[in-house]
Amino acid sequence: MKKVIAIGLLTATLALSLHSCKKNGGSGNGNGNGGGNNSSLVDVSVERSDTTSLPNPIPALPLSLDFTSSPLGPIQIDTFATKVDEVITPYGFTKDKITEVTLTKMRINIENAPSQTFNFVKDTLTSIQVYVDSFGGSLPKRVAYRQDVPANSNQIEMSVDLGDIKDYFRAQYMKILIGFRTQENEGLDGSAKFRINYTFRIKADTKK
């Protein structure tokens, strides 16, 4: 009889233990934060598009010009107001809360000159390099590059460097510079315009 009672008590104890495990288990919320959603962190993508041009046309010459370094380059092709406050206000934070800004996508199209292509760029290991800097600054940071240029193309997708550019983005103005070498006997029409499409990723901590 005692043996039966002992078995009964053991069975009841196991049942209570299993019930307790089911109630306490599964507490993870699946958001990777390990303990509740942290609503102070913001992560948004912002797109912008600008049309610009080189300061001067490039004549078709039997030699290659180097616009990747001084004295000819990199060439400043655009200066624009970042309008950072206008961009981030809908998300409920200010620019002092920004923790990181990266360029995630860039595409360049040639416009206003139907027969113009990127053939004027010499095809090298780093055919085109794009930099950002603050207005009046002298410390440009590379944000995108292209290692090869398709023949007869008037549009190119750039590869991006994922470095943080928040200090440039938080400035009132940001300038864009481009570096490349010219292809022998290929020129750039002075009427050609470049439409540059950017996508920026902005991270912020509203409790920062």
Side-chain angles (χ1 to χ4, degrees):
M1 182 67 178
K2 292 181 179 179
K3 186 174 182 181
V4 172
I5 293 173
I7 292 174
L9 289 174
L10 179 60
T11 302
T13 301
L14 288 173
L16 286 172
S17 297
L18 287 172
H19 181 67
S20 177
C21 286
K22 287 180 180 178
K23 288 183 67 177
N24 296 330
S27 61
N29 55 22
N31 62 10
N33 292 328
N37 184 32
N38 188 345
S39 60
S40 71
L41 301 180
V42 182
D43 188 338
V44 297
S45 291
V46 175
E47 296 182 353
R48 89 173 270 129
S49 181
D50 287 286
T51 301
T52 185
S53 60
L54 295 188
N56 300 293
I58 298 175
L61 300 173
L63 53 87
S64 178
L65 300 177
D66 186 358
F67 290 100
T68 63
S69 58
S70 183
L72 298 180
I75 305 170
Q76 182 175 326
I77 59 172
D78 196 13
T79 301
F80 60 81
T82 58
K83 297 182 180 179
V84 59
D85 294 312
E86 179 182 315
V87 168
I88 65 179
T89 296
Y91 299 98
F93 64 93
T94 53
K95 62 185 177 183
D96 60 306
K97 305 299 183 183
I98 294 176
T99 58
E100 183 181 48
V101 178
T102 54
L103 178 70
T104 59
K105 187 176 181 180
M106 176 182 281
R107 185 178 69 252
I108 305 177
N109 294 67
I110 296 178
E111 299 180 343
N112 207 49
S115 62
Q116 181 66 59
T117 68
F118 281 98
N119 288 355
F120 71 94
V121 175
K122 193 175 185 68
D123 196 3
T124 65
L125 290 178
T126 49
S127 299
I128 301 177
Q129 301 185 71
V130 178
Y131 304 85
V132 298
D133 203 350
S134 55
F135 183 70
S138 58
L139 296 172
K141 180 181 181 67
R142 196 183 80 170
V143 292
Y145 62 94
R146 179 75 191 212
Q147 292 185 320
D148 58 347
V149 177
N152 305 315
S153 175
N154 60 6
Q155 173 181 297
I156 54 174
E157 293 281 346
M158 304 293 290
S159 299
V160 297
D161 294 312
L162 297 179
D164 186 6
I165 58 171
K166 66 176 179 293
D167 292 335
Y168 302 103
F169 193 83
R170 286 190 298 199
Q172 187 175 2
Y173 292 92
M174 185 164 63
K175 63 183 180 182
I176 307 295
L177 305 98
I178 190 168
F180 59 91
R181 294 183 64 94
T182 61
Q183 177 63 45
E184 293 87 345
N185 301 311
E186 293 284 353
L188 174 66
D189 190 326
S191 65
K193 303 290 184 181
F194 297 91
R195 176 168 292 279
I196 308 177
N197 300 286
Y198 316 84
T199 301
F200 295 100
R201 183 180 185 185
I202 305 174
K203 295 182 180 180
D205 186 347
T206 59
K207 293 183 180 179
K208 177 171 173 258

Short mmCIF file of all heavy atoms in Angstrom, two decimals, residues 127-180:
data_model
loop_
_atom_site.label_atom_id
_atom_site.label_comp_id
_atom_site.label_asym_id
_atom_site.label_seq_id
_atom_site.Cartn_x
_atom_site.Cartn_y
_atom_site.Cartn_z
N SER A 127 37.91 51.82 -62.04
CA SER A 127 37.64 52.75 -63.14
C SER A 127 37.07 54.07 -62.65
O SER A 127 37.46 55.14 -63.09
CB SER A 127 36.67 52.11 -64.14
OG SER A 127 37.24 50.94 -64.69
N ILE A 128 36.09 54.00 -61.74
CA ILE A 128 35.44 55.20 -61.20
C ILE A 128 35.42 55.09 -59.68
O ILE A 128 35.10 54.04 -59.13
CB ILE A 128 34.01 55.35 -61.73
CG1 ILE A 128 33.99 55.43 -63.26
CG2 ILE A 128 33.35 56.60 -61.14
CD1 ILE A 128 32.59 55.51 -63.84
N GLN A 129 35.75 56.20 -59.02
CA GLN A 129 35.67 56.27 -57.56
C GLN A 129 34.88 57.51 -57.17
O GLN A 129 35.10 58.59 -57.73
CB GLN A 129 37.06 56.31 -56.93
CG GLN A 129 37.90 55.08 -57.29
CD GLN A 129 39.23 55.08 -56.55
OE1 GLN A 129 39.29 54.87 -55.35
NE2 GLN A 129 40.30 55.31 -57.28
N VAL A 130 33.95 57.35 -56.23
CA VAL A 130 33.11 58.46 -55.78
C VAL A 130 33.39 58.72 -54.30
O VAL A 130 33.49 57.79 -53.50
CB VAL A 130 31.61 58.16 -55.99
CG1 VAL A 130 30.76 59.32 -55.48
CG2 VAL A 130 31.33 57.90 -57.47
N TYR A 131 33.52 60.00 -53.96
CA TYR A 131 33.85 60.41 -52.60
C TYR A 131 32.80 61.39 -52.08
O TYR A 131 32.12 62.07 -52.86
CB TYR A 131 35.21 61.11 -52.56
CG TYR A 131 36.35 60.30 -53.12
CD1 TYR A 131 36.63 60.29 -54.49
CD2 TYR A 131 37.19 59.56 -52.29
CE1 TYR A 131 37.69 59.55 -55.00
CE2 TYR A 131 38.25 58.82 -52.79
CZ TYR A 131 38.50 58.81 -54.15
OH TYR A 131 39.54 58.08 -54.67
N VAL A 132 32.69 61.48 -50.76
CA VAL A 132 31.90 62.54 -50.13
C VAL A 132 32.80 63.34 -49.22
O VAL A 132 33.83 62.86 -48.73
CB VAL A 132 30.71 61.97 -49.31
CG1 VAL A 132 29.75 61.22 -50.19
CG2 VAL A 132 31.18 61.09 -48.15
N ASP A 133 32.42 64.59 -49.01
CA ASP A 133 33.14 65.47 -48.08
C ASP A 133 32.17 66.54 -47.62
O ASP A 133 31.17 66.81 -48.29
CB ASP A 133 34.36 66.10 -48.77
CG ASP A 133 35.43 66.54 -47.77
OD1 ASP A 133 35.14 66.53 -46.55
OD2 ASP A 133 36.54 66.89 -48.20
N SER A 134 32.46 67.14 -46.49
CA SER A 134 31.64 68.26 -46.04
C SER A 134 31.98 69.48 -46.89
O SER A 134 33.06 69.56 -47.49
CB SER A 134 31.90 68.56 -44.56
OG SER A 134 33.28 68.77 -44.34
N PHE A 135 31.05 70.43 -46.96
CA PHE A 135 31.27 71.62 -47.76
C PHE A 135 32.48 72.38 -47.22
O PHE A 135 32.57 72.69 -46.06
CB PHE A 135 30.03 72.51 -47.72
CG PHE A 135 30.14 73.73 -48.59
CD1 PHE A 135 30.14 73.62 -49.96
CD2 PHE A 135 30.27 74.98 -48.01
CE1 PHE A 135 30.23 74.74 -50.76
CE2 PHE A 135 30.37 76.11 -48.80
CZ PHE A 135 30.35 76.00 -50.18
N GLY A 136 33.45 72.64 -48.10
CA GLY A 136 34.67 73.31 -47.68
C GLY A 136 35.68 72.38 -47.04
O GLY A 136 36.75 72.82 -46.61
N GLY A 137 35.35 71.09 -46.95
CA GLY A 137 36.25 70.14 -46.32
C GLY A 137 37.37 69.70 -47.25
O GLY A 137 37.34 69.93 -48.46
N SER A 138 38.38 69.07 -46.67
CA SER A 138 39.53 68.59 -47.45
C SER A 138 39.89 67.16 -47.10
O SER A 138 41.01 66.72 -47.33
CB SER A 138 40.74 69.51 -47.22
OG SER A 138 41.06 69.56 -45.83
N LEU A 139 38.94 66.42 -46.54
CA LEU A 139 39.17 65.02 -46.16
C LEU A 139 38.10 64.13 -46.79
O LEU A 139 37.25 63.57 -46.10
CB LEU A 139 39.16 64.86 -44.64
CG LEU A 139 40.27 65.58 -43.88
CD1 LEU A 139 40.02 65.51 -42.38
CD2 LEU A 139 41.63 64.97 -44.22
N PRO A 140 38.12 64.00 -48.11
CA PRO A 140 37.09 63.18 -48.77
C PRO A 140 37.18 61.72 -48.37
O PRO A 140 38.27 61.20 -48.13
CB PRO A 140 37.38 63.38 -50.26
CG PRO A 140 38.84 63.75 -50.31
CD PRO A 140 39.11 64.54 -49.07
N LYS A 141 36.01 61.07 -48.31
CA LYS A 141 35.94 59.65 -47.97
C LYS A 141 35.30 58.91 -49.12
O LYS A 141 34.21 59.30 -49.58
CB LYS A 141 35.11 59.46 -46.69
CG LYS A 141 34.98 58.01 -46.23
CD LYS A 141 34.11 57.95 -44.99
CE LYS A 141 33.97 56.52 -44.48
NZ LYS A 141 35.24 55.98 -43.96
N ARG A 142 35.95 57.85 -49.59
CA ARG A 142 35.38 57.09 -50.70
C ARG A 142 34.15 56.32 -50.23
O ARG A 142 34.17 55.68 -49.17
CB ARG A 142 36.40 56.11 -51.28
CG ARG A 142 35.99 55.58 -52.66
CD ARG A 142 36.97 54.57 -53.20
NE ARG A 142 36.75 53.25 -52.62
CZ ARG A 142 37.32 52.12 -53.05
NH1 ARG A 142 38.16 52.18 -54.08
NH2 ARG A 142 37.08 50.97 -52.46
N VAL A 143 33.08 56.40 -51.03
CA VAL A 143 31.83 55.71 -50.68
C VAL A 143 31.39 54.72 -51.75
O VAL A 143 30.54 53.86 -51.48
CB VAL A 143 30.69 56.72 -50.42
CG1 VAL A 143 30.97 57.52 -49.16
CG2 VAL A 143 30.47 57.63 -51.61
N ALA A 144 31.94 54.85 -52.97
CA ALA A 144 31.51 53.93 -54.05
C ALA A 144 32.60 53.85 -55.11
O ALA A 144 33.43 54.76 -55.25
CB ALA A 144 30.20 54.41 -54.67
N TYR A 145 32.57 52.76 -55.87
CA TYR A 145 33.56 52.56 -56.93
C TYR A 145 33.00 51.61 -57.97
O TYR A 145 32.02 50.90 -57.74
CB TYR A 145 34.86 52.00 -56.34
CG TYR A 145 34.70 50.64 -55.70
CD1 TYR A 145 34.94 49.47 -56.42
CD2 TYR A 145 34.28 50.52 -54.38
CE1 TYR A 145 34.77 48.23 -55.83
CE2 TYR A 145 34.10 49.29 -53.78
CZ TYR A 145 34.35 48.14 -54.51
OH TYR A 145 34.18 46.91 -53.95
N ARG A 146 33.65 51.60 -59.12
CA ARG A 146 33.30 50.65 -60.18
C ARG A 146 34.59 50.09 -60.73
O ARG A 146 35.48 50.83 -61.14
CB ARG A 146 32.51 51.35 -61.31
CG ARG A 146 32.14 50.45 -62.46
CD ARG A 146 30.99 49.52 -62.13
NE ARG A 146 30.81 48.48 -63.14
CZ ARG A 146 29.64 47.95 -63.46
NH1 ARG A 146 28.54 48.35 -62.85
NH2 ARG A 146 29.55 47.01 -64.36
N GLN A 147 34.72 48.76 -60.73
CA GLN A 147 35.96 48.13 -61.17
C GLN A 147 36.03 47.91 -62.67
O GLN A 147 37.10 47.73 -63.21
CB GLN A 147 36.17 46.80 -60.42
CG GLN A 147 36.44 46.98 -58.94
CD GLN A 147 36.77 45.68 -58.25
OE1 GLN A 147 36.15 44.66 -58.53
NE2 GLN A 147 37.71 45.70 -57.32
N ASP A 148 34.89 47.90 -63.33
CA ASP A 148 34.89 47.75 -64.78
C ASP A 148 33.72 48.55 -65.33
O ASP A 148 32.71 48.73 -64.66
CB ASP A 148 34.81 46.28 -65.20
CG ASP A 148 33.56 45.60 -64.65
OD1 ASP A 148 32.90 46.17 -63.77
OD2 ASP A 148 33.23 44.50 -65.11
N VAL A 149 33.85 49.04 -66.53
CA VAL A 149 32.80 49.83 -67.15
C VAL A 149 32.34 49.13 -68.42
O VAL A 149 33.14 48.94 -69.35
CB VAL A 149 33.29 51.25 -67.48
CG1 VAL A 149 32.21 52.05 -68.18
CG2 VAL A 149 33.73 51.97 -66.20
N PRO A 150 31.09 48.72 -68.50
CA PRO A 150 30.60 48.05 -69.71
C PRO A 150 30.71 48.96 -70.93
O PRO A 150 30.42 50.17 -70.85
CB PRO A 150 29.13 47.74 -69.38
CG PRO A 150 29.04 47.81 -67.90
CD PRO A 150 30.05 48.82 -67.46
N ALA A 151 31.13 48.41 -72.04
CA ALA A 151 31.27 49.20 -73.27
C ALA A 151 29.91 49.72 -73.73
O ALA A 151 28.89 49.03 -73.64
CB ALA A 151 31.92 48.36 -74.36
N ASN A 152 29.91 50.95 -74.20
CA ASN A 152 28.73 51.58 -74.82
C ASN A 152 27.54 51.69 -73.86
O ASN A 152 26.39 51.71 -74.30
CB ASN A 152 28.31 50.82 -76.08
CG ASN A 152 29.45 50.68 -77.07
OD1 ASN A 152 30.16 51.64 -77.34
ND2 ASN A 152 29.63 49.48 -77.61
N SER A 153 27.81 51.79 -72.56
CA SER A 153 26.74 51.88 -71.58
C SER A 153 26.54 53.33 -71.14
O SER A 153 27.51 54.08 -70.98
CB SER A 153 27.08 51.03 -70.35
OG SER A 153 26.13 51.19 -69.33
N ASN A 154 25.29 53.71 -70.94
CA ASN A 154 25.01 55.05 -70.41
C ASN A 154 24.45 54.98 -68.98
O ASN A 154 23.93 55.95 -68.46
CB ASN A 154 24.04 55.82 -71.31
CG ASN A 154 22.69 55.12 -71.45
OD1 ASN A 154 22.43 54.11 -70.79
ND2 ASN A 154 21.85 55.66 -72.31
N GLN A 155 24.60 53.81 -68.36
CA GLN A 155 24.16 53.63 -66.98
C GLN A 155 25.07 52.63 -66.30
O GLN A 155 25.42 51.59 -66.87
CB GLN A 155 22.72 53.12 -66.94
CG GLN A 155 22.23 52.76 -65.54
CD GLN A 155 20.82 52.24 -65.54
OE1 GLN A 155 19.89 52.93 -65.89
NE2 GLN A 155 20.64 50.98 -65.15
N ILE A 156 25.47 52.93 -65.07
CA ILE A 156 26.30 51.98 -64.32
C ILE A 156 25.83 51.90 -62.87
O ILE A 156 25.42 52.90 -62.28
CB ILE A 156 27.81 52.37 -64.34
CG1 ILE A 156 28.02 53.80 -63.88
CG2 ILE A 156 28.41 52.14 -65.71
CD1 ILE A 156 29.49 54.16 -63.75
N GLU A 157 25.88 50.70 -62.34
CA GLU A 157 25.63 50.48 -60.92
C GLU A 157 26.98 50.46 -60.21
O GLU A 157 27.90 49.76 -60.63
CB GLU A 157 24.92 49.14 -60.71
CG GLU A 157 23.50 49.08 -61.25
CD GLU A 157 22.50 49.77 -60.34
OE1 GLU A 157 22.85 50.06 -59.18
OE2 GLU A 157 21.37 50.00 -60.80
N MET A 158 27.09 51.23 -59.14
CA MET A 158 28.34 51.32 -58.41
C MET A 158 28.38 50.29 -57.28
O MET A 158 27.34 49.93 -56.70
CB MET A 158 28.49 52.72 -57.82
CG MET A 158 28.42 53.85 -58.84
SD MET A 158 29.83 53.86 -59.99
CE MET A 158 31.15 54.38 -58.89
N SER A 159 29.57 49.81 -56.96
CA SER A 159 29.76 49.04 -55.73
C SER A 159 29.96 50.05 -54.61
O SER A 159 30.54 51.12 -54.82
CB SER A 159 31.01 48.15 -55.85
OG SER A 159 30.85 47.23 -56.92
N VAL A 160 29.47 49.74 -53.41
CA VAL A 160 29.54 50.72 -52.32
C VAL A 160 30.49 50.27 -51.22
O VAL A 160 30.64 49.07 -50.96
CB VAL A 160 28.15 51.01 -51.74
CG1 VAL A 160 27.25 51.63 -52.79
CG2 VAL A 160 27.51 49.75 -51.16
N ASP A 161 31.13 51.25 -50.59
CA ASP A 161 31.90 51.02 -49.37
C ASP A 161 30.97 51.28 -48.19
O ASP A 161 30.31 52.32 -48.14
CB ASP A 161 33.09 51.99 -49.29
CG ASP A 161 34.11 51.73 -50.39
OD1 ASP A 161 34.49 50.57 -50.58
OD2 ASP A 161 34.53 52.71 -51.05
N LEU A 162 30.92 50.36 -47.25
CA LEU A 162 29.96 50.46 -46.16
C LEU A 162 30.49 51.23 -44.95
O LEU A 162 30.08 50.99 -43.82
CB LEU A 162 29.50 49.06 -45.74
CG LEU A 162 28.74 48.29 -46.83
CD1 LEU A 162 28.34 46.90 -46.32
CD2 LEU A 162 27.50 49.06 -47.29
N GLY A 163 31.40 52.16 -45.17
CA GLY A 163 31.92 52.96 -44.07
C GLY A 163 30.90 53.98 -43.57
O GLY A 163 30.02 54.42 -44.30
N ASP A 164 31.03 54.35 -42.30
CA ASP A 164 30.12 55.30 -41.67
C ASP A 164 30.42 56.72 -42.15
O ASP A 164 31.56 57.19 -42.06
CB ASP A 164 30.28 55.21 -40.15
CG ASP A 164 29.29 56.05 -39.38
OD1 ASP A 164 28.39 56.63 -40.02
OD2 ASP A 164 29.42 56.14 -38.15
N ILE A 165 29.40 57.43 -42.66
CA ILE A 165 29.57 58.80 -43.13
C ILE A 165 28.64 59.77 -42.39
O ILE A 165 28.27 60.81 -42.91
CB ILE A 165 29.35 58.92 -44.66
CG1 ILE A 165 27.94 58.43 -45.03
CG2 ILE A 165 30.40 58.15 -45.42
CD1 ILE A 165 27.58 58.72 -46.49
N LYS A 166 28.30 59.44 -41.15
CA LYS A 166 27.35 60.28 -40.41
C LYS A 166 27.85 61.70 -40.21
O LYS A 166 27.06 62.65 -40.21
CB LYS A 166 26.98 59.65 -39.07
CG LYS A 166 28.10 59.55 -38.06
CD LYS A 166 27.58 58.99 -36.73
CE LYS A 166 28.69 58.84 -35.70
NZ LYS A 166 29.66 57.80 -36.08
N ASP A 167 29.17 61.87 -40.02
CA ASP A 167 29.69 63.22 -39.79
C ASP A 167 29.51 64.11 -41.02
O ASP A 167 29.28 65.31 -40.88
CB ASP A 167 31.17 63.16 -39.42
CG ASP A 167 31.39 62.52 -38.05
OD1 ASP A 167 30.45 62.58 -37.22
OD2 ASP A 167 32.47 61.97 -37.80
N TYR A 168 29.59 63.53 -42.22
CA TYR A 168 29.35 64.29 -43.45
C TYR A 168 27.85 64.54 -43.61
O TYR A 168 27.42 65.63 -44.00
CB TYR A 168 29.88 63.53 -44.66
CG TYR A 168 31.35 63.22 -44.60
CD1 TYR A 168 31.80 61.93 -44.29
CD2 TYR A 168 32.32 64.19 -44.86
CE1 TYR A 168 33.15 61.64 -44.24
CE2 TYR A 168 33.67 63.90 -44.80
CZ TYR A 168 34.09 62.63 -44.49
OH TYR A 168 35.42 62.33 -44.44
N PHE A 169 27.06 63.52 -43.32
CA PHE A 169 25.62 63.62 -43.53
C PHE A 169 24.98 64.61 -42.57
O PHE A 169 24.00 65.28 -42.91
CB PHE A 169 24.98 62.23 -43.37
CG PHE A 169 23.58 62.13 -43.86
CD1 PHE A 169 23.32 61.91 -45.20
CD2 PHE A 169 22.50 62.24 -42.99
CE1 PHE A 169 22.02 61.81 -45.67
CE2 PHE A 169 21.20 62.14 -43.45
CZ PHE A 169 20.96 61.93 -44.80
N ARG A 170 25.51 64.71 -41.36
CA ARG A 170 24.94 65.62 -40.37
C ARG A 170 25.30 67.08 -40.64
O ARG A 170 24.70 67.98 -40.07
CB ARG A 170 25.39 65.23 -38.96
CG ARG A 170 24.72 63.98 -38.45
CD ARG A 170 24.97 63.73 -36.97
NE ARG A 170 26.39 63.52 -36.67
CZ ARG A 170 26.82 62.93 -35.56
NH1 ARG A 170 25.94 62.52 -34.67
NH2 ARG A 170 28.09 62.77 -35.34
N ALA A 171 26.29 67.30 -41.51
CA ALA A 171 26.64 68.67 -41.89
C ALA A 171 25.53 69.29 -42.73
O ALA A 171 24.71 68.58 -43.31
CB ALA A 171 27.95 68.67 -42.67
N GLN A 172 25.51 70.61 -42.80
CA GLN A 172 24.44 71.27 -43.54
C GLN A 172 24.53 70.98 -45.04
O GLN A 172 23.52 70.82 -45.71
CB GLN A 172 24.49 72.78 -43.30
CG GLN A 172 23.32 73.54 -43.92
CD GLN A 172 23.34 75.01 -43.56
OE1 GLN A 172 24.25 75.48 -42.87
NE2 GLN A 172 22.33 75.74 -44.01
N TYR A 173 25.76 70.90 -45.54
CA TYR A 173 25.98 70.61 -46.95
C TYR A 173 26.98 69.47 -47.09
O TYR A 173 27.89 69.31 -46.27
CB TYR A 173 26.51 71.84 -47.70
CG TYR A 173 25.52 72.97 -47.82
CD1 TYR A 173 25.47 73.98 -46.87
CD2 TYR A 173 24.61 73.00 -48.88
CE1 TYR A 173 24.55 75.01 -46.98
CE2 TYR A 173 23.69 74.03 -48.99
CZ TYR A 173 23.66 75.03 -48.04
OH TYR A 173 22.75 76.05 -48.14
N MET A 174 26.81 68.69 -48.16
CA MET A 174 27.74 67.61 -48.46
C MET A 174 28.10 67.70 -49.93
O MET A 174 27.25 67.97 -50.78
CB MET A 174 27.10 66.25 -48.15
CG MET A 174 28.03 65.06 -48.33
SD MET A 174 27.40 63.54 -47.53
CE MET A 174 25.89 63.25 -48.44
N LYS A 175 29.35 67.50 -50.25
CA LYS A 175 29.77 67.55 -51.65
C LYS A 175 30.18 66.17 -52.14
O LYS A 175 30.63 65.32 -51.37
CB LYS A 175 30.90 68.56 -51.85
CG LYS A 175 32.20 68.27 -51.12
CD LYS A 175 33.22 69.39 -51.37
CE LYS A 175 34.53 69.13 -50.66
NZ LYS A 175 35.50 70.25 -50.86
N ILE A 176 29.99 65.98 -53.43
CA ILE A 176 30.30 64.71 -54.08
C ILE A 176 31.45 64.95 -55.06
O ILE A 176 31.44 65.91 -55.83
CB ILE A 176 29.09 64.17 -54.86
CG1 ILE A 176 27.86 64.09 -53.94
CG2 ILE A 176 29.40 62.81 -55.47
CD1 ILE A 176 27.99 63.12 -52.81
N LEU A 177 32.44 64.07 -55.01
CA LEU A 177 33.58 64.16 -55.91
C LEU A 177 33.73 62.83 -56.65
O LEU A 177 33.36 61.77 -56.15
CB LEU A 177 34.87 64.47 -55.15
CG LEU A 177 34.86 65.72 -54.27
CD1 LEU A 177 34.58 65.34 -52.82
CD2 LEU A 177 36.18 66.48 -54.36
N ILE A 178 34.31 62.90 -57.85
CA ILE A 178 34.49 61.69 -58.65
C ILE A 178 35.90 61.65 -59.22
O ILE A 178 36.48 62.67 -59.59
CB ILE A 178 33.44 61.65 -59.79
CG1 ILE A 178 33.45 60.28 -60.48
CG2 ILE A 178 33.64 62.78 -60.79
CD1 ILE A 178 32.25 60.07 -61.40
N GLY A 179 36.48 60.48 -59.24
CA GLY A 179 37.82 60.28 -59.78
C GLY A 179 37.82 59.17 -60.81
O GLY A 179 37.15 58.15 -60.65
N PHE A 180 38.58 59.38 -61.91
CA PHE A 180 38.67 58.38 -62.98
C PHE A 180 39.82 58.76 -63.90
O PHE A 180 40.36 59.88 -63.83
CB PHE A 180 37.36 58.31 -63.78
CG PHE A 180 36.97 59.62 -64.42
CD1 PHE A 180 37.38 59.95 -65.71
CD2 PHE A 180 36.21 60.55 -63.72
CE1 PHE A 180 37.05 61.16 -66.30
CE2 PHE A 180 35.86 61.76 -64.29
CZ PHE A 180 36.28 62.07 -65.57
#
